[in-house]
Amino acid sequence: MAISLANLKKVAASPLPIATLYGVPKVGKTSLAAEFPNPVYLNTAGESPPIDIVDLPSNTDENGNPAPVETFDEVLDFVSELITEEHDFGTLIVDSLDGLEPLVWSHTCAINGWSNLEEPGFGKGYLAADEVWREYLRAIEALAQKGVWIVQIAHTEITRFDSPTTDPYSRYGIKLHKRASALVQEASSIIGFMNYRATIKEKDVGHNKKVSRADGSGERQIHLEERPGFIAGNRFGMPPKVRYERGKGYETLSKEMSKHQPKPAEAA
């Protein structure tokens, strides 16, 4: 259809319910994800929910322990089932993205007949992995279109950022290859960086010398707007950060999201 000025109308665009949560160890990423509506848990090797979350539906082995997905096809098959079958789940938790990455790489190698991603040389393996990542992202976007939240959990890594406007500095990022991280960030409507609140205090140690030390109360925060020290952002107009109290995290986020949802009259 040809684009015409006469066909232009105001529309109320709603961001897809896709969130990526990453943060320092044991800060509560999975606990927060489990607060989202009616979640189902999909874990990769080495990941499991905290032991006090006992009512989180997930695939289990013969001993009743969460059984990790072992192939990329298993991930797609499960997402496809959530799209096509009747169910009451309101959230898919993917734990974790950095656990999914080796499955993406293995799948990429299998379909190209490579022994590893370095075999084709010149970064071509990672370039080919982009399309496999896009296949995964298209699948979760289709599920999100049905109103199901996707909450992707990831770990952190500290990387050097070569800013074109300042001297280089270090910051927290998502523990993925930089190409994959960029794709995940683009697809996410919420990128939440979780960390403990810290304050820097100076202490006089004598001889006209002061040292700076970090201090904190244990308060946890979800950062929702990018800063030099970390990647974050959201498409819901939420504040730069919110306090995370276990059991109230999703409630806090949903209240902030609802403040900026378009009213029915605005959608006309």
Side-chain angles (χ1 to χ4, degrees), residues 26-42:
K26 314 305 179 191
V27 74
K29 299 180 290 293
T30 309
S31 297
L32 171 56
E35 295 177 22
F36 279 68
N38 301 326
V40 58
Y41 181 71
L42 183 68

Side-chain angles (χ1 to χ4, degrees), residues 44-74:
T44 61
E47 304 295 348
S48 60
I51 59 174
D52 57 340
I53 303 179
V54 296
D55 58 349
L56 186 59
S58 61
N59 187 45
T60 57
D61 59 21
E62 61 275 9
N63 297 317
N65 299 314
V69 289
E70 297 180 346
T71 68
F72 180 74
D73 282 334
E74 287 182 10

Side-chain angles (χ1 to χ4, degrees), residues 104-119:
V104 169
W105 290 352
S106 294
H107 188 77
T108 304
C109 291
I111 61 180
N112 287 281
W114 300 329
S115 58
N116 58 68
L117 279 189
E118 301 293 342
E119 183 177 324

Side-chain angles (χ1 to χ4, degrees), residues 121-186:
F122 304 104
K124 292 180 180 178
Y126 298 98
L127 187 62
D130 284 357
E131 185 51 42
V132 179
W133 274 111
R134 290 190 182 100
E135 188 176 1
Y136 160 75
L137 293 171
R138 285 193 293 267
I140 63 170
E141 286 168 358
L143 180 57
Q145 291 281 5
K146 298 178 71 68
V148 176
W149 270 101
I150 316 296
V151 182
Q152 305 171 109
I153 298 172
H155 298 95
T156 59
E157 64 177 356
I158 299 175
T159 59
R160 171 187 164 114
F161 180 63
D162 293 311
S163 171
T165 58
T166 67
D167 291 336
Y169 55 88
S170 296
R171 67 174 178 175
Y172 284 106
I174 300 169
K175 191 179 178 182
L176 289 173
H177 187 275
K178 61 182 180 181
R179 297 185 63 89
S181 179
L183 291 172
V184 167
Q185 291 176 53
E186 184 179 358

Side-chain angles (χ1 to χ4, degrees), residues 149 190 236 238 253-261:
W149 270 101
I190 296 175
F236 291 94
M238 292 190 285
L253 291 174
S254 60
K255 283 182 180 178
E256 293 295 340
M257 284 185 282
S258 66
K259 291 179 182 179
H260 300 277
Q261 291 299 301

